[in-house]
Amino acid sequence: MVKIVNGLFLLLACTQALASQLSIIIDDVGNSYADLQLLQLDPSITLSVLPSSPYAKQIAAQAEQQQREIMLHLPMQGSGNLALGPYGLTDNLAEPQFKQRVASAINDYPEASGLNNHMGSQLTQLPTEMHWLMQVLANKQLFFVDSRTHLASIAEDVAKAYRVPVLRRHVFLDHHDEPAAIQRQWLQAIKLSRKYGHAVLIAHPRANSVALLQQLALPEDVTLVGLQQRLASAFPSPQPATPDIQLVGATTPILEPQNNKAL
């Protein structure tokens, strides 16, 4: 009987270890008072707050009380000319000013354990600026999630070079804000988590998306995990900020893109 019980525990442990994992981030949090309702969602869902938005501080403070994971959704230069606010990162900033903006956002939100890019399709392709960003994150011991707003992003590769714990977005839930399209993206995220063991889904605080996440109908073989929980196995302890590679130029990619089976 003891052997049978031990065998069942072993089987359960193996099953949990092999279970597919899904991490969910909600971006653009803090622009609306209605975003406070996001605090009622599953506590494993990460909220990424826009640091200059009017309700970001209140949401971050309440999330910390819940022991919910909070990230900074840091504005970065995209393909257009949208205003980025006081924390915005652009390619015309000198190194001290660039790093000061990143550090200010982190210092203003001590609740945050990581950071991902808001927009950034242009900036995340630039080696110099990505080096500066990862130097700050390595020193502050924060993780990074590459939102992958452009397929040519090198942010993930530079993060790895600095040993910054890093993940990438695999699916946007609501690129098209229609219930049928959102459902298709949800099923795609489940499919990728099953195929590759883990996937990162990014959503936005829109009514159709929130409605789906309030129900959160996960299949039995897929587990919702926080980003830090997922990263713990890959980056079990703080890493030094010394990069594995050297900066070779402001316009030259410093690393070949890593093959990633999920995107």
Side-chain angles (χ1 to χ4, degrees):
M1 176 63 71
V2 174
K3 289 183 178 180
I4 294 175
V5 172
N6 288 339
L8 289 174
F9 276 117
L10 180 60
L11 178 61
L12 177 60
C14 291
T15 301
Q16 291 175 337
L18 294 173
S20 301
Q21 296 181 337
L22 179 66
S23 296
I24 300 175
I25 303 168
I26 302 182
D27 277 355
D28 295 350
V29 174
N31 276 322
S32 169
Y33 180 80
D35 290 352
L36 286 161
Q37 72 176 315
L38 302 173
L39 294 163
Q40 300 173 19
L41 296 174
D42 189 291
S44 292
I45 294 177
T46 300
L47 304 183
S48 191
V49 297
L50 285 164
S52 59
S53 60
Y55 298 98
K57 284 282 189 181
Q58 182 179 355
I59 291 171
Q62 292 190 28
E64 185 178 40
Q65 293 175 2
Q66 293 181 334
Q67 298 184 327
R68 179 190 295 273
E69 196 168 63
I70 281 290
M71 292 175 59
L72 287 174
H73 196 39
L74 199 60
M76 300 186 193
Q77 182 179 350
S79 57
N81 295 313
L82 295 177
L84 300 181
Y87 301 100
L89 303 178
T90 60
D91 63 3
N92 62 356
L93 296 174
E95 180 178 358
Q97 187 180 12
F98 185 101
K99 289 183 173 180
Q100 180 58 42
R101 290 193 180 189
V102 179
S104 293
I106 294 171
N107 293 337
D108 289 347
Y109 288 86
E111 306 91 346
S113 54
L115 183 153
N116 72 327
N117 53 294
H118 172 56
M119 302 186 292
S121 58
Q122 175 66 24
L123 199 77
T124 56
Q125 298 183 55
L126 302 181
T128 298
E129 284 74 9
M130 289 301 98
H131 269 266
W132 295 343
L133 174 63
M134 300 311 164
Q135 286 166 9
V136 178
L137 294 185
N139 288 330
K140 297 288 188 179
Q141 296 187 3
L142 268 65
F143 65 81
F144 182 74
V145 176
D146 187 350
S147 301
R148 298 285 292 176
T149 53
H150 197 287
L151 292 179
S153 169
I154 62 169
E156 180 183 9
D157 291 330
V158 180
K160 290 177 180 177
Y162 279 89
R163 300 181 179 89
V164 171
V166 63
L167 294 168
R168 63 158 59 184
R169 184 272 309 166
H170 300 100
V171 176
F172 278 123
L173 179 67
D174 44 20
H175 183 68
H176 298 288
D177 188 16
E178 302 168 353
I182 288 171
Q183 183 63 27
R184 285 195 298 271
Q185 292 299 92
W186 174 254
L187 294 176
Q188 176 69 2
I190 297 298
K191 178 181 177 181
L192 290 177
S193 68
R194 284 171 169 161
K195 187 172 183 179
Y196 303 113
H198 178 253
V200 175
L201 174 72
I202 289 182
H204 298 85
R206 301 167 182 163
N208 291 326
S209 302
V210 173
L212 183 145
L213 295 175
Q214 284 172 334
Q215 299 174 13
L216 201 64
L218 279 170
E220 292 183 359
D221 62 327
V222 178
T223 302
L224 185 64
V225 297
L227 298 166
Q228 291 189 90
Q229 180 181 346
R230 175 64 190 180
L231 285 165
S233 58
F235 298 88
S237 60
Q239 298 290 333
T242 304
D244 289 334
I245 54 176
Q246 299 298 316
L247 180 65
V248 297
T251 58
T252 304
I254 56 174
L255 285 176
E256 291 297 324
Q258 297 290 320
N259 290 328
N260 189 297
K261 296 182 289 186
L263 184 65

